[in-house]
Each structure stands twice: as C-alpha cells, then as structure tokens.
Amino acid sequence: MLREDIVESLLGKTTQKKKSRIPAKLDFLQSATGLILAIFIILHLLFESSILLGKDSMYALTKMFELDFFIKGGSSIFISILAFIIFAIFIFHAFLAMRKFPNSYREYLRLKTHAKLMKHKDTNLWIIQITTGFMLFFLGSIHLYIVLTEPQNIGPFASSDRIYSDTFYPLYFMLLISVVLHAGVGVYRLIMKWGWFDGKNPKENRVKTRKIVKAITIFYLVLGLFSLMAYIKIGYDHQKHYGERYTPNMEIKNEN
Ligand code: HEM
C-alpha cells in the first residue's frame, strides 16, 4: 500500500473526486529531480573520497572542476555555477516533497502508530525519508550556500581547515548520515514505484533490490566516514597554518 493511500484511508479521504493530471506530473518531477540529486551524491561522495588517496589527488580533482584543462590555472566560478544549478534542483525537489509531509502532527502520529501496528517496512522507510529530508532542508542548504559563495575555499587544506578548525565536522557528520539514508531510501522507493527491475519475478527481484540498495548505502556511509576522518586528520595537523593553501607536493610544516 502506498503512503498516500494509507493517509487517505486513515483520514477517510477519497481520491475518486476530479481526476487531475497535475499530481502525476508533480510526482514525475519529484522522482526525476530526486534521481538527478541521487546520481550527483553518488559521484560527489566518490570525488570527495579522493582525499583518501592523498592531498595531490583531491587537489587535482578540485582543479579539474575549476576547468584548469580549459582555462589556465582554472577558475572557481565554475564550482559556483555547478553549486547554483544543484541548489536550484535541491530547492525545487524540496518544494515538491513538501506536498508529501504529514499535514499535521496528529496525522504524523496516526501514521507512526499505523507503521508500528502493521510492521510495514515501506512505511518505516517513508518515515526515515521524511525525517532525513527535513534535516537536509537545513544541513544541505548551509553546505550549498558555503560552496556557492566561497568556491575558492575548496582544496586539501582549505576544506580540512573548514572541517576541523572552523568546526564543520558535526555538520558534515549529520549531513552525511541524512543524505546517504535519504538517497538510499529514495532510490529504493523509486525502483519499487516504477518497477524498474521487477522482471518476471517481481517478488523475488524486489527482495534482491532491497539487499543491493542496502549494501550500497552502507558502503557510502563507510566511505564518507573515512573521508571525513581523513579531512579531520589533515585539518588537525594543519591548524597552525590555518588559511594556507595547498600546492602539489608540498609538505605540511608540522611544528607539533
Ligand atoms: C555543486 C555542489 C556541491 C559542491 C561544489 C560540494 C563540495 C563539497 C566539498 C568541497 C566538500 C568537502 C568539505 C568542504 O570543503 O567543505 C563536500 C563535502 C560534503 N558534501 Fe558537498 N558539495 C556540493 C553539494 C552537496 C550536496 C547537494 C550535498 C547533500 C545534500 C552534499 C553533501 C556533502 C557531504 C555529506 C559531505 C561530507 C563528505 C564526507 O564525509 O566524505 N554536497 N562537498
């Protein structure tokens, strides 16, 4: 049973009024923007983990995003442009998702009780998705605003200084957990909704899909946590040189 059906049956509403095509269109747009953002996050966390291969790797990737192969030395304006596009999709996706939030606290409580009584896995997943989605409104916006307005402050030292010395690690920790769970549950629900991998045996394939999405979600959580720890370690070692920018092959002048 879909979440909308549950809410409607709980509230005694009926869908058999006027048939409008708008909800279906909005639903499609929500799925499409969600998919774009999920693909972006999958790639983003992989690129971000380049720090695990060393500072030179992360530096080279940052320069690539500044299009240094196109403009001599690169320009951080390209990072701002990308951040602006992602921010616009993020806001539009959140706006569309607002339709699906419970309209009142009472509705939310009824839904929670219902999920508990039924032990309905998909309803529980939906609760994870609105909770993490709500957190992303704030955490995602802070992060996106910073990369949009300070694109020059991205790099092995600049990012690590922000994470350690500017105390951004609690924010990134919460952002990582919420975005990975949100994207994992979101992609799983998309696959179920549109029946992408149903094949000839939907029941069996859905169980398999669930396991695969769960494994990928755990992989990304672990990868993100290791990357975050690498940034914290570099930031800790670099704290006395806060503000200094990284250049390839340079050594940290560790005075500790
Ligand atoms: C074009 C847009 C984006 C850019 C340029 C960008 C860039 C970055 C950079 C450079 C970092 C390293 C830390 C830092 O320098 O502050 C980072 C970390 C992170 N970003 Fe983004 N980001 C973007 C969009 C997003 C979005 C939309 C999300 C999720 C809503 C997100 C989630 C994260 C997370 C969870 C981390 C921590 C990574 C980890 O623990 O490995 N980012 N991002």
Side-chain angles (χ1 to χ4, degrees):
M1 201 178 190
L2 282 175
R3 181 251 156 194
E4 286 81 351
D5 299 336
I6 297 168
V7 174
E8 276 161 6
S9 61
L10 285 170
L11 297 180
K13 285 183 193 166
T14 168
T15 31
Q16 307 304 321
K17 291 178 227 154
K18 281 178 233 157
K19 285 260 179 201
S20 162
R21 290 169 64 101
I22 295 173
K25 279 188 185 153
L26 294 180
D27 243 23
F28 173 77
L29 281 175
Q30 197 187 345
S31 298
T33 49
L35 189 63
I36 294 171
L37 290 171
I39 294 170
F40 172 79
I41 285 301
I42 287 170
L43 296 174
H44 176 19
L45 292 183
L46 273 184
F47 292 145
E48 225 41 70
S49 70
S50 60
I51 198 71
L52 294 171
L53 301 175
K55 292 187 269 308
D56 283 342
S57 307
M58 198 249 173
Y59 179 84
L61 261 178
T62 309
K63 283 285 152 199
M64 192 192 83
F65 278 99
E66 290 181 0
L67 306 192
D68 70 338
F69 52 89
F70 186 61
I71 288 180
K72 202 167 176 276
S75 166
S76 57
I77 186 77
F78 298 114
I79 295 188
S80 278
I81 294 172
L82 178 66
F84 181 81
I85 296 169
I86 296 296
F87 212 171
I89 301 175
F90 178 85
I91 292 170
F92 187 50
H93 179 74
F95 171 74
L96 291 170
M98 265 165 42
R99 299 171 304 140
K100 308 244 169 137
F101 273 64
N103 297 332
S104 67
Y105 185 60
R106 265 177 67 201
E107 192 180 314
Y108 172 74
L109 283 183
R110 273 194 223 170
L111 205 73
K112 243 179 117 182
T113 318
H114 179 83
K116 239 188 228 161
L117 285 176
M118 301 253 309
K119 291 206 171 40
H120 197 304
K121 278 187 187 157
D122 286 357
T123 312
N124 287 329
L125 286 183
W126 181 80
I127 289 176
I128 293 180
Q129 221 189 355
I130 47 159
T131 313
T132 52
F134 183 70
M135 289 170 75
L136 285 172
F137 266 126
F138 308 101
L139 304 170
S141 300
I142 297 172
H143 175 49
L144 276 163
Y145 186 77
I146 286 171
V147 288
L148 174 73
T149 55
E150 294 177 20
Q152 72 285 3
N153 290 341
I154 291 178
F157 283 164
S159 296
S160 304
D161 283 348
R162 177 175 25 253
I163 287 177
Y164 183 75
S165 298
D166 294 343
T167 336
F168 264 70
Y169 57 87
L171 180 128
Y172 280 121
F173 179 72
M174 290 187 285
L175 180 60
L176 176 71
I177 308 276
S178 2
V179 80
V180 173
L181 289 182
H182 192 81
V185 173
V187 168
Y188 169 75
R189 294 183 80 232
L190 268 186
I191 296 172
M192 295 299 117
K193 183 170 179 175
W194 304 101
W196 285 337
F197 305 120
D198 276 3
K200 282 189 183 138
N201 192 344
K203 216 171 171 188
E204 202 176 286
N205 287 336
R206 284 180 175 219
V207 175
K208 268 191 210 155
T209 305
R210 204 183 164 101
K211 279 188 188 153
I212 295 171
V213 175
K214 205 171 173 181
I216 296 175
T217 307
I218 294 171
F219 168 78
Y220 269 93
L221 277 177
V222 174
L223 183 75
L225 283 176
F226 273 104
S227 309
L228 195 55
M229 284 192 291
Y231 284 112
I232 292 174
K233 165 85 174 69
I234 297 170
Y236 175 80
D237 291 343
H238 191 248
Q239 56 188 309
K240 289 195 177 150
H241 303 279
Y242 177 89
E244 173 196 50
R245 290 291 176 267
Y246 185 79
T247 45
N249 306 317
M250 113 194 240
E251 298 272 307
I252 295 181
K253 292 165 242 148
N254 198 341
E255 291 165 8
N256 294 329

